[in-house]
Amino acid sequence: MSRVDAIRVEGRVVEVLVSPTMRVELPNGHRIVAYMSGQLRLQFVRLQPGDKVIVEMSPFDLSKGCIVQQTEAIKNESQGLS
């Protein structure tokens, strides 16, 4: 299977599990376990509950996914405030 066949959906991080793993809620109400892509880990992106993300899922296993992009950052971090 190529990445062209992957299903891309937008979701919201509900819970942060072990380091690169998150529980993400999809718009249809399903909750899946998703891990951060290598590109996000190299950029040291920190995801917190409530962040909107784009998840790629395989059509063969819809219970797992890969977080490929963060669509909504926390306002304080984007403004450089702590």
Side-chain angles (χ1 to χ4, degrees), residues 19-73:
S19 184
T21 313
M22 315 283 169
R23 190 169 312 275
V24 177
E25 185 173 5
L26 304 178
N28 61 5
H30 291 274
R31 290 188 178 193
I32 64 168
V33 174
Y35 60 92
M36 290 175 54
S37 68
Q39 182 180 9
L40 290 178
R41 279 188 269 170
L42 286 176
Q43 295 174 357
F44 298 105
V45 173
R46 300 282 182 201
L47 295 176
Q48 296 178 351
D51 288 350
K52 285 187 178 177
V53 294
I54 295 179
V55 180
E56 280 190 355
M57 297 184 302
S58 166
F60 302 109
D61 186 7
L62 298 175
S63 65
K64 297 178 187 171
C66 177
I67 299 172
V68 294
Q69 186 179 1
Q70 180 181 16
T71 58
E72 181 181 287

